[in-house]
Amino acid sequence: YLVGDGHISRVKRHLGLTTGDLPQAVQFATLIQDAFGVEAQTRLDGNRYRVLVHAESLSDFMVETFGLTEGPSAARKRVPAKVMRSPVGVVRAFLRAYFDCDGYAGRQGVILSTASEQMSREVQLLLLNFGVLSRRRLQKDGCWHVHVAGASAARFADSSSKGKEFRQPRAT
């Protein structure tokens, strides 16, 4: 969630998530509480929920241990190296949360939008590890789209909508 709709501010000494989706805000706050024992503050700001965690040590941990970016950094974001080396379940959870933040599912398939070229490449690689084919395209606005269509979109949608987990393809 932090990589997608989150932020880490060293200046304001907090990390947080901004989302229009209340269940996502609650899930993020719960994850922070369960994993780190830190309480998050959630408030409605217009039509968005802001979940803030005022714990400078947690911000330091996320930057130094996981390599998350801080400040205005959309174009510099990437899949954390620890996620790239993680077991399948961790990678699956990362992809689900990231697509929940920056993805769209519709008639054309599943599209992930990111300002980071590196992120688009790494997400495409992770998807391929699950047998999900995709294409990357630079958009006129400078964002990259990772587009999953056809049988791969059906596989992606079926796994997501039925609560099934992505499985790595079987070796034949």
Side-chain angles (χ1 to χ4, degrees), residues 33-66:
Q33 176 66 46
D34 291 350
F36 303 106
V38 178
E39 190 171 330
Q41 299 171 345
T42 304
R43 66 180 168 88
L44 185 59
D45 183 8
N47 62 349
R48 298 179 291 185
Y49 295 92
R50 295 196 187 274
V51 183
L52 297 178
V53 180
H54 297 278
E56 191 172 8
S57 59
L58 182 55
S59 294
D60 291 343
F61 177 74
M62 292 298 183
V63 171
E64 294 165 12
T65 303
F66 291 105

PDB file of all heavy atoms in Angstrom, residues 33-66:
ATOM      1  N   GLN A  33      -0.986  -1.605  12.633  1.00  0.00           N
ATOM      2  CA  GLN A  33      -1.161  -1.958  14.044  1.00  0.00           C
ATOM      3  C   GLN A  33      -0.664  -3.379  14.319  1.00  0.00           C
ATOM      4  O   GLN A  33       0.083  -3.609  15.263  1.00  0.00           O
ATOM      5  CB  GLN A  33      -2.638  -1.836  14.445  1.00  0.00           C
ATOM      6  CG  GLN A  33      -2.935  -2.263  15.870  1.00  0.00           C
ATOM      7  CD  GLN A  33      -2.295  -1.368  16.917  1.00  0.00           C
ATOM      8  OE1 GLN A  33      -2.357  -0.155  16.809  1.00  0.00           O
ATOM      9  NE2 GLN A  33      -1.679  -1.958  17.915  1.00  0.00           N
ATOM     10  N   ASP A  34      -1.078  -4.334  13.476  1.00  0.00           N
ATOM     11  CA  ASP A  34      -0.718  -5.732  13.694  1.00  0.00           C
ATOM     12  C   ASP A  34       0.781  -5.984  13.521  1.00  0.00           C
ATOM     13  O   ASP A  34       1.385  -6.734  14.279  1.00  0.00           O
ATOM     14  CB  ASP A  34      -1.496  -6.644  12.750  1.00  0.00           C
ATOM     15  CG  ASP A  34      -2.986  -6.704  13.071  1.00  0.00           C
ATOM     16  OD1 ASP A  34      -3.393  -6.182  14.136  1.00  0.00           O
ATOM     17  OD2 ASP A  34      -3.732  -7.253  12.241  1.00  0.00           O
ATOM     18  N   ALA A  35       1.381  -5.370  12.501  1.00  0.00           N
ATOM     19  CA  ALA A  35       2.792  -5.638  12.199  1.00  0.00           C
ATOM     20  C   ALA A  35       3.759  -4.858  13.079  1.00  0.00           C
ATOM     21  O   ALA A  35       4.825  -5.370  13.429  1.00  0.00           O
ATOM     22  CB  ALA A  35       3.069  -5.324  10.723  1.00  0.00           C
ATOM     23  N   PHE A  36       3.391  -3.627  13.443  1.00  0.00           N
ATOM     24  CA  PHE A  36       4.351  -2.767  14.128  1.00  0.00           C
ATOM     25  C   PHE A  36       3.883  -2.257  15.487  1.00  0.00           C
ATOM     26  O   PHE A  36       4.630  -1.573  16.186  1.00  0.00           O
ATOM     27  CB  PHE A  36       4.711  -1.572  13.235  1.00  0.00           C
ATOM     28  CG  PHE A  36       5.247  -1.986  11.902  1.00  0.00           C
ATOM     29  CD1 PHE A  36       4.467  -1.871  10.762  1.00  0.00           C
ATOM     30  CD2 PHE A  36       6.527  -2.521  11.784  1.00  0.00           C
ATOM     31  CE1 PHE A  36       4.951  -2.272   9.518  1.00  0.00           C
ATOM     32  CE2 PHE A  36       7.017  -2.922  10.558  1.00  0.00           C
ATOM     33  CZ  PHE A  36       6.235  -2.801   9.418  1.00  0.00           C
ATOM     34  N   GLY A  37       2.635  -2.548  15.862  1.00  0.00           N
ATOM     35  CA  GLY A  37       2.129  -2.106  17.147  1.00  0.00           C
ATOM     36  C   GLY A  37       1.969  -0.598  17.256  1.00  0.00           C
ATOM     37  O   GLY A  37       2.017  -0.035  18.336  1.00  0.00           O
ATOM     38  N   VAL A  38       1.779   0.047  16.118  1.00  0.00           N
ATOM     39  CA  VAL A  38       1.635   1.499  16.075  1.00  0.00           C
ATOM     40  C   VAL A  38       0.227   1.830  15.601  1.00  0.00           C
ATOM     41  O   VAL A  38      -0.251   1.265  14.609  1.00  0.00           O
ATOM     42  CB  VAL A  38       2.676   2.133  15.115  1.00  0.00           C
ATOM     43  CG1 VAL A  38       2.501   3.631  15.030  1.00  0.00           C
ATOM     44  CG2 VAL A  38       4.084   1.771  15.543  1.00  0.00           C
ATOM     45  N   GLU A  39      -0.415   2.744  16.276  1.00  0.00           N
ATOM     46  CA  GLU A  39      -1.774   3.120  15.898  1.00  0.00           C
ATOM     47  C   GLU A  39      -1.756   4.195  14.808  1.00  0.00           C
ATOM     48  O   GLU A  39      -1.025   5.172  14.907  1.00  0.00           O
ATOM     49  CB  GLU A  39      -2.543   3.642  17.112  1.00  0.00           C
ATOM     50  CG  GLU A  39      -4.018   3.818  16.833  1.00  0.00           C
ATOM     51  CD  GLU A  39      -4.804   4.126  18.083  1.00  0.00           C
ATOM     52  OE1 GLU A  39      -4.395   3.674  19.171  1.00  0.00           O
ATOM     53  OE2 GLU A  39      -5.821   4.828  17.968  1.00  0.00           O
ATOM     54  N   ALA A  40      -2.565   3.977  13.805  1.00  0.00           N
ATOM     55  CA  ALA A  40      -2.710   4.944  12.714  1.00  0.00           C
ATOM     56  C   ALA A  40      -3.938   5.800  12.960  1.00  0.00           C
ATOM     57  O   ALA A  40      -4.924   5.332  13.524  1.00  0.00           O
ATOM     58  CB  ALA A  40      -2.837   4.206  11.385  1.00  0.00           C
ATOM     59  N   GLN A  41      -3.870   7.044  12.531  1.00  0.00           N
ATOM     60  CA  GLN A  41      -5.011   7.949  12.624  1.00  0.00           C
ATOM     61  C   GLN A  41      -5.658   8.030  11.252  1.00  0.00           C
ATOM     62  O   GLN A  41      -4.983   8.322  10.265  1.00  0.00           O
ATOM     63  CB  GLN A  41      -4.561   9.335  13.067  1.00  0.00           C
ATOM     64  CG  GLN A  41      -3.904   9.354  14.412  1.00  0.00           C
ATOM     65  CD  GLN A  41      -3.277  10.701  14.728  1.00  0.00           C
ATOM     66  OE1 GLN A  41      -3.093  11.543  13.856  1.00  0.00           O
ATOM     67  NE2 GLN A  41      -2.944  10.906  15.988  1.00  0.00           N
ATOM     68  N   THR A  42      -6.962   7.780  11.183  1.00  0.00           N
ATOM     69  CA  THR A  42      -7.697   7.828   9.923  1.00  0.00           C
ATOM     70  C   THR A  42      -8.698   8.972   9.984  1.00  0.00           C
ATOM     71  O   THR A  42      -9.427   9.105  10.967  1.00  0.00           O
ATOM     72  CB  THR A  42      -8.443   6.501   9.668  1.00  0.00           C
ATOM     73  OG1 THR A  42      -7.490   5.435   9.702  1.00  0.00           O
ATOM     74  CG2 THR A  42      -9.151   6.518   8.326  1.00  0.00           C
ATOM     75  N   ARG A  43      -8.707   9.781   8.918  1.00  0.00           N
ATOM     76  CA  ARG A  43      -9.674  10.876   8.864  1.00  0.00           C
ATOM     77  C   ARG A  43     -10.147  11.057   7.426  1.00  0.00           C
ATOM     78  O   ARG A  43      -9.418  10.780   6.471  1.00  0.00           O
ATOM     79  CB  ARG A  43      -9.097  12.174   9.424  1.00  0.00           C
ATOM     80  CG  ARG A  43      -7.969  12.753   8.615  1.00  0.00           C
ATOM     81  CD  ARG A  43      -7.457  14.046   9.245  1.00  0.00           C
ATOM     82  NE  ARG A  43      -6.214  14.465   8.646  1.00  0.00           N
ATOM     83  CZ  ARG A  43      -6.119  15.227   7.563  1.00  0.00           C
ATOM     84  NH1 ARG A  43      -7.196  15.650   6.962  1.00  0.00           N
ATOM     85  NH2 ARG A  43      -4.945  15.557   7.082  1.00  0.00           N
ATOM     86  N   LEU A  44     -11.370  11.531   7.307  1.00  0.00           N
ATOM     87  CA  LEU A  44     -11.941  11.836   6.003  1.00  0.00           C
ATOM     88  C   LEU A  44     -11.523  13.248   5.627  1.00  0.00           C
ATOM     89  O   LEU A  44     -11.672  14.187   6.406  1.00  0.00           O
ATOM     90  CB  LEU A  44     -13.464  11.719   6.053  1.00  0.00           C
ATOM     91  CG  LEU A  44     -14.219  11.881   4.738  1.00  0.00           C
ATOM     92  CD1 LEU A  44     -13.775  10.831   3.720  1.00  0.00           C
ATOM     93  CD2 LEU A  44     -15.718  11.774   4.980  1.00  0.00           C
ATOM     94  N   ASP A  45     -10.974  13.406   4.431  1.00  0.00           N
ATOM     95  CA  ASP A  45     -10.519  14.705   3.924  1.00  0.00           C
ATOM     96  C   ASP A  45     -11.169  14.892   2.553  1.00  0.00           C
ATOM     97  O   ASP A  45     -10.671  14.387   1.556  1.00  0.00           O
ATOM     98  CB  ASP A  45      -9.004  14.724   3.828  1.00  0.00           C
ATOM     99  CG  ASP A  45      -8.445  16.062   3.380  1.00  0.00           C
ATOM    100  OD1 ASP A  45      -9.212  17.039   3.286  1.00  0.00           O
ATOM    101  OD2 ASP A  45      -7.227  16.130   3.107  1.00  0.00           O
ATOM    102  N   GLY A  46     -12.316  15.587   2.524  1.00  0.00           N
ATOM    103  CA  GLY A  46     -13.074  15.694   1.282  1.00  0.00           C
ATOM    104  C   GLY A  46     -13.681  14.347   0.956  1.00  0.00           C
ATOM    105  O   GLY A  46     -14.423  13.774   1.747  1.00  0.00           O
ATOM    106  N   ASN A  47     -13.305  13.805  -0.207  1.00  0.00           N
ATOM    107  CA  ASN A  47     -13.822  12.492  -0.597  1.00  0.00           C
ATOM    108  C   ASN A  47     -12.763  11.390  -0.448  1.00  0.00           C
ATOM    109  O   ASN A  47     -12.921  10.307  -0.975  1.00  0.00           O
ATOM    110  CB  ASN A  47     -14.361  12.534  -2.027  1.00  0.00           C
ATOM    111  CG  ASN A  47     -13.283  12.871  -3.038  1.00  0.00           C
ATOM    112  OD1 ASN A  47     -12.176  13.267  -2.677  1.00  0.00           O
ATOM    113  ND2 ASN A  47     -13.605  12.725  -4.307  1.00  0.00           N
ATOM    114  N   ARG A  48     -11.673  11.701   0.277  1.00  0.00           N
ATOM    115  CA  ARG A  48     -10.599  10.727   0.455  1.00  0.00           C
ATOM    116  C   ARG A  48     -10.325  10.502   1.939  1.00  0.00           C
ATOM    117  O   ARG A  48     -10.542  11.376   2.765  1.00  0.00           O
ATOM    118  CB  ARG A  48      -9.306  11.231  -0.200  1.00  0.00           C
ATOM    119  CG  ARG A  48      -9.444  11.422  -1.692  1.00  0.00           C
ATOM    120  CD  ARG A  48      -8.170  11.939  -2.256  1.00  0.00           C
ATOM    121  NE  ARG A  48      -7.967  13.326  -1.796  1.00  0.00           N
ATOM    122  CZ  ARG A  48      -6.990  14.096  -2.189  1.00  0.00           C
ATOM    123  NH1 ARG A  48      -6.097  13.653  -3.035  1.00  0.00           N
ATOM    124  NH2 ARG A  48      -6.875  15.326  -1.745  1.00  0.00           N
ATOM    125  N   TYR A  49      -9.836   9.323   2.226  1.00  0.00           N
ATOM    126  CA  TYR A  49      -9.418   8.992   3.578  1.00  0.00           C
ATOM    127  C   TYR A  49      -7.906   9.145   3.663  1.00  0.00           C
ATOM    128  O   TYR A  49      -7.182   8.712   2.769  1.00  0.00           O
ATOM    129  CB  TYR A  49      -9.814   7.558   3.942  1.00  0.00           C
ATOM    130  CG  TYR A  49     -11.297   7.380   3.993  1.00  0.00           C
ATOM    131  CD1 TYR A  49     -12.010   6.960   2.873  1.00  0.00           C
ATOM    132  CD2 TYR A  49     -12.001   7.676   5.157  1.00  0.00           C
ATOM    133  CE1 TYR A  49     -13.380   6.833   2.919  1.00  0.00           C
ATOM    134  CE2 TYR A  49     -13.380   7.545   5.205  1.00  0.00           C
ATOM    135  CZ  TYR A  49     -14.059   7.123   4.078  1.00  0.00           C
ATOM    136  OH  TYR A  49     -15.426   7.001   4.117  1.00  0.00           O
ATOM    137  N   ARG A  50      -7.466   9.774   4.714  1.00  0.00           N
ATOM    138  CA  ARG A  50      -6.039   9.906   4.973  1.00  0.00           C
ATOM    139  C   ARG A  50      -5.726   9.101   6.230  1.00  0.00           C
ATOM    140  O   ARG A  50      -6.314   9.322   7.275  1.00  0.00           O
ATOM    141  CB  ARG A  50      -5.648  11.356   5.155  1.00  0.00           C
ATOM    142  CG  ARG A  50      -5.848  12.162   3.883  1.00  0.00           C
ATOM    143  CD  ARG A  50      -5.106  13.482   3.953  1.00  0.00           C
ATOM    144  NE  ARG A  50      -5.438  14.319   2.814  1.00  0.00           N
ATOM    145  CZ  ARG A  50      -4.828  14.266   1.635  1.00  0.00           C
ATOM    146  NH1 ARG A  50      -3.862  13.397   1.444  1.00  0.00           N
ATOM    147  NH2 ARG A  50      -5.185  15.064   0.660  1.00  0.00           N
ATOM    148  N   VAL A  51      -4.809   8.164   6.071  1.00  0.00           N
ATOM    149  CA  VAL A  51      -4.368   7.341   7.185  1.00  0.00           C
ATOM    150  C   VAL A  51      -2.926   7.759   7.472  1.00  0.00           C
ATOM    151  O   VAL A  51      -2.059   7.612   6.612  1.00  0.00           O
ATOM    152  CB  VAL A  51      -4.425   5.839   6.846  1.00  0.00           C
ATOM    153  CG1 VAL A  51      -4.041   5.000   8.052  1.00  0.00           C
ATOM    154  CG2 VAL A  51      -5.798   5.448   6.320  1.00  0.00           C
ATOM    155  N   LEU A  52      -2.685   8.309   8.651  1.00  0.00           N
ATOM    156  CA  LEU A  52      -1.353   8.799   9.005  1.00  0.00           C
ATOM    157  C   LEU A  52      -0.797   8.042  10.198  1.00  0.00           C
ATOM    158  O   LEU A  52      -1.518   7.727  11.151  1.00  0.00           O
ATOM    159  CB  LEU A  52      -1.394  10.292   9.328  1.00  0.00           C
ATOM    160  CG  LEU A  52      -1.801  11.213   8.184  1.00  0.00           C
ATOM    161  CD1 LEU A  52      -1.851  12.657   8.659  1.00  0.00           C
ATOM    162  CD2 LEU A  52      -0.849  11.074   7.007  1.00  0.00           C
ATOM    163  N   VAL A  53       0.500   7.786  10.123  1.00  0.00           N
ATOM    164  CA  VAL A  53       1.215   7.118  11.190  1.00  0.00           C
ATOM    165  C   VAL A  53       2.371   8.022  11.581  1.00  0.00           C
ATOM    166  O   VAL A  53       3.277   8.260  10.784  1.00  0.00           O
ATOM    167  CB  VAL A  53       1.748   5.736  10.743  1.00  0.00           C
ATOM    168  CG1 VAL A  53       2.496   5.053  11.863  1.00  0.00           C
ATOM    169  CG2 VAL A  53       0.619   4.870  10.212  1.00  0.00           C
ATOM    170  N   HIS A  54       2.316   8.544  12.788  1.00  0.00           N
ATOM    171  CA  HIS A  54       3.361   9.447  13.280  1.00  0.00           C
ATOM    172  C   HIS A  54       4.380   8.636  14.073  1.00  0.00           C
ATOM    173  O   HIS A  54       4.296   8.538  15.296  1.00  0.00           O
ATOM    174  CB  HIS A  54       2.744  10.562  14.127  1.00  0.00           C
ATOM    175  CG  HIS A  54       1.819  11.429  13.343  1.00  0.00           C
ATOM    176  ND1 HIS A  54       2.258  12.465  12.555  1.00  0.00           N
ATOM    177  CD2 HIS A  54       0.482  11.392  13.190  1.00  0.00           C
ATOM    178  CE1 HIS A  54       1.227  13.038  11.973  1.00  0.00           C
ATOM    179  NE2 HIS A  54       0.137  12.398  12.333  1.00  0.00           N
ATOM    180  N   ALA A  55       5.296   8.022  13.347  1.00  0.00           N
ATOM    181  CA  ALA A  55       6.336   7.206  13.958  1.00  0.00           C
ATOM    182  C   ALA A  55       7.578   7.316  13.077  1.00  0.00           C
ATOM    183  O   ALA A  55       7.710   6.602  12.087  1.00  0.00           O
ATOM    184  CB  ALA A  55       5.876   5.755  14.091  1.00  0.00           C
ATOM    185  N   GLU A  56       8.442   8.246  13.451  1.00  0.00           N
ATOM    186  CA  GLU A  56       9.639   8.490  12.652  1.00  0.00           C
ATOM    187  C   GLU A  56      10.499   7.236  12.529  1.00  0.00           C
ATOM    188  O   GLU A  56      11.076   6.968  11.473  1.00  0.00           O
ATOM    189  CB  GLU A  56      10.442   9.634  13.261  1.00  0.00           C
ATOM    190  CG  GLU A  56      11.548  10.118  12.353  1.00  0.00           C
ATOM    191  CD  GLU A  56      12.211  11.378  12.883  1.00  0.00           C
ATOM    192  OE1 GLU A  56      11.921  11.798  14.010  1.00  0.00           O
ATOM    193  OE2 GLU A  56      13.027  11.938  12.142  1.00  0.00           O
ATOM    194  N   SER A  57      10.557   6.431  13.575  1.00  0.00           N
ATOM    195  CA  SER A  57      11.357   5.207  13.519  1.00  0.00           C
ATOM    196  C   SER A  57      10.789   4.224  12.490  1.00  0.00           C
ATOM    197  O   SER A  57      11.539   3.518  11.818  1.00  0.00           O
ATOM    198  CB  SER A  57      11.448   4.551  14.888  1.00  0.00           C
ATOM    199  OG  SER A  57      10.160   4.228  15.367  1.00  0.00           O
ATOM    200  N   LEU A  58       9.464   4.190  12.340  1.00  0.00           N
ATOM    201  CA  LEU A  58       8.858   3.315  11.335  1.00  0.00           C
ATOM    202  C   LEU A  58       9.157   3.841   9.928  1.00  0.00           C
ATOM    203  O   LEU A  58       9.457   3.057   9.027  1.00  0.00           O
ATOM    204  CB  LEU A  58       7.348   3.195  11.553  1.00  0.00           C
ATOM    205  CG  LEU A  58       6.602   2.270  10.598  1.00  0.00           C
ATOM    206  CD1 LEU A  58       7.200   0.865  10.587  1.00  0.00           C
ATOM    207  CD2 LEU A  58       5.122   2.224  10.961  1.00  0.00           C
ATOM    208  N   SER A  59       9.109   5.149   9.752  1.00  0.00           N
ATOM    209  CA  SER A  59       9.480   5.744   8.452  1.00  0.00           C
ATOM    210  C   SER A  59      10.923   5.402   8.122  1.00  0.00           C
ATOM    211  O   SER A  59      11.232   5.001   6.991  1.00  0.00           O
ATOM    212  CB  SER A  59       9.295   7.261   8.484  1.00  0.00           C
ATOM    213  OG  SER A  59       7.948   7.604   8.626  1.00  0.00           O
ATOM    214  N   ASP A  60      11.817   5.560   9.094  1.00  0.00           N
ATOM    215  CA  ASP A  60      13.232   5.220   8.888  1.00  0.00           C
ATOM    216  C   ASP A  60      13.373   3.761   8.494  1.00  0.00           C
ATOM    217  O   ASP A  60      14.110   3.420   7.563  1.00  0.00           O
ATOM    218  CB  ASP A  60      14.043   5.476  10.161  1.00  0.00           C
ATOM    219  CG  ASP A  60      14.172   6.943  10.496  1.00  0.00           C
ATOM    220  OD1 ASP A  60      13.925   7.794   9.613  1.00  0.00           O
ATOM    221  OD2 ASP A  60      14.518   7.246  11.661  1.00  0.00           O
ATOM    222  N   PHE A  61      12.659   2.893   9.192  1.00  0.00           N
ATOM    223  CA  PHE A  61      12.708   1.456   8.918  1.00  0.00           C
ATOM    224  C   PHE A  61      12.278   1.159   7.480  1.00  0.00           C
ATOM    225  O   PHE A  61      12.920   0.384   6.772  1.00  0.00           O
ATOM    226  CB  PHE A  61      11.820   0.722   9.924  1.00  0.00           C
ATOM    227  CG  PHE A  61      11.731  -0.758   9.702  1.00  0.00           C
ATOM    228  CD1 PHE A  61      12.799  -1.586  10.018  1.00  0.00           C
ATOM    229  CD2 PHE A  61      10.579  -1.321   9.192  1.00  0.00           C
ATOM    230  CE1 PHE A  61      12.714  -2.959   9.824  1.00  0.00           C
ATOM    231  CE2 PHE A  61      10.482  -2.689   8.986  1.00  0.00           C
ATOM    232  CZ  PHE A  61      11.560  -3.513   9.307  1.00  0.00           C
ATOM    233  N   MET A  62      11.187   1.766   7.045  1.00  0.00           N
ATOM    234  CA  MET A  62      10.667   1.516   5.692  1.00  0.00           C
ATOM    235  C   MET A  62      11.649   1.989   4.615  1.00  0.00           C
ATOM    236  O   MET A  62      11.813   1.334   3.589  1.00  0.00           O
ATOM    237  CB  MET A  62       9.318   2.202   5.496  1.00  0.00           C
ATOM    238  CG  MET A  62       8.211   1.611   6.321  1.00  0.00           C
ATOM    239  SD  MET A  62       7.929  -0.109   5.853  1.00  0.00           S
ATOM    240  CE  MET A  62       6.569  -0.498   6.895  1.00  0.00           C
ATOM    241  N   VAL A  63      12.292   3.110   4.857  1.00  0.00           N
ATOM    242  CA  VAL A  63      13.250   3.644   3.885  1.00  0.00           C
ATOM    243  C   VAL A  63      14.546   2.841   3.911  1.00  0.00           C
ATOM    244  O   VAL A  63      15.047   2.410   2.866  1.00  0.00           O
ATOM    245  CB  VAL A  63      13.526   5.148   4.146  1.00  0.00           C
ATOM    246  CG1 VAL A  63      14.675   5.650   3.291  1.00  0.00           C
ATOM    247  CG2 VAL A  63      12.266   5.962   3.891  1.00  0.00           C
ATOM    248  N   GLU A  64      15.100   2.639   5.107  1.00  0.00           N
ATOM    249  CA  GLU A  64      16.414   2.008   5.223  1.00  0.00           C
ATOM    250  C   GLU A  64      16.380   0.501   5.006  1.00  0.00           C
ATOM    251  O   GLU A  64      17.281  -0.062   4.393  1.00  0.00           O
ATOM    252  CB  GLU A  64      17.019   2.332   6.590  1.00  0.00           C
ATOM    253  CG  GLU A  64      17.328   3.815   6.727  1.00  0.00           C
ATOM    254  CD  GLU A  64      17.573   4.259   8.149  1.00  0.00           C
ATOM    255  OE1 GLU A  64      17.732   3.388   9.045  1.00  0.00           O
ATOM    256  OE2 GLU A  64      17.601   5.488   8.378  1.00  0.00           O
ATOM    257  N   THR A  65      15.354  -0.175   5.480  1.00  0.00           N
ATOM    258  CA  THR A  65      15.292  -1.630   5.371  1.00  0.00           C
ATOM    259  C   THR A  65      14.655  -2.087   4.061  1.00  0.00           C
ATOM    260  O   THR A  65      15.128  -3.032   3.435  1.00  0.00           O
ATOM    261  CB  THR A  65      14.515  -2.231   6.563  1.00  0.00           C
ATOM    262  OG1 THR A  65      15.153  -1.801   7.766  1.00  0.00           O
ATOM    263  CG2 THR A  65      14.499  -3.738   6.510  1.00  0.00           C
ATOM    264  N   PHE A  66      13.588  -1.421   3.647  1.00  0.00           N
ATOM    265  CA  PHE A  66      12.871  -1.859   2.447  1.00  0.00           C
ATOM    266  C   PHE A  66      13.180  -1.028   1.211  1.00  0.00           C
ATOM    267  O   PHE A  66      12.735  -1.351   0.125  1.00  0.00           O
ATOM    268  CB  PHE A  66      11.357  -1.870   2.706  1.00  0.00           C
ATOM    269  CG  PHE A  66      10.944  -2.940   3.665  1.00  0.00           C
ATOM    270  CD1 PHE A  66      10.602  -2.621   4.964  1.00  0.00           C
ATOM    271  CD2 PHE A  66      10.938  -4.267   3.292  1.00  0.00           C
ATOM    272  CE1 PHE A  66      10.248  -3.606   5.866  1.00  0.00           C
ATOM    273  CE2 PHE A  66      10.588  -5.262   4.180  1.00  0.00           C
ATOM    274  CZ  PHE A  66      10.239  -4.930   5.477  1.00  0.00           C
TER     275      PHE A  66
END
